Amino acid sequence: MRRCPDLFWDESMNRYVCLLMSDPNEGEDAKRQLFEGLGCCAPLMKWRDDVRNRDND
């Protein structure tokens, strides 16, 4: 898979949504550890400047 398996494109919001952060059991811990609201913390994430649905690229 070319993207994180927990990221899914939301057409209505025109962005990817992280299902890990919305998980009722693990979400709060994931939000703290992954710095929710600051964008993906992956060091080589070049998609930040070009947000679009990449599922079919």
Side-chain angles (χ1 to χ4, degrees):
M1 186 173 269
R2 295 188 60 193
R3 60 168 168 74
C4 174
D6 282 319
L7 285 179
F8 287 89
W9 184 256
D10 185 307
E11 289 291 336
S12 66
M13 293 193 292
N14 199 39
R15 69 180 183 101
Y16 280 97
V17 175
C18 177
L19 296 181
L20 177 62
M21 290 193 187
S22 63
D23 182 277
N25 297 315
E26 305 293 330
E28 291 305 313
D29 191 40
K31 288 175 185 179
R32 279 190 301 279
Q33 290 182 30
L34 297 174
F35 305 101
E36 176 197 29
L38 301 176
C40 182
C41 61
L44 300 176
M45 180 58 137
K46 295 181 177 166
W47 291 3
R48 288 179 175 181
D49 297 328
D50 185 22
V51 177
R52 61 186 164 87
N53 187 346
R54 298 172 183 276
D55 289 346
N56 297 317
D57 282 359

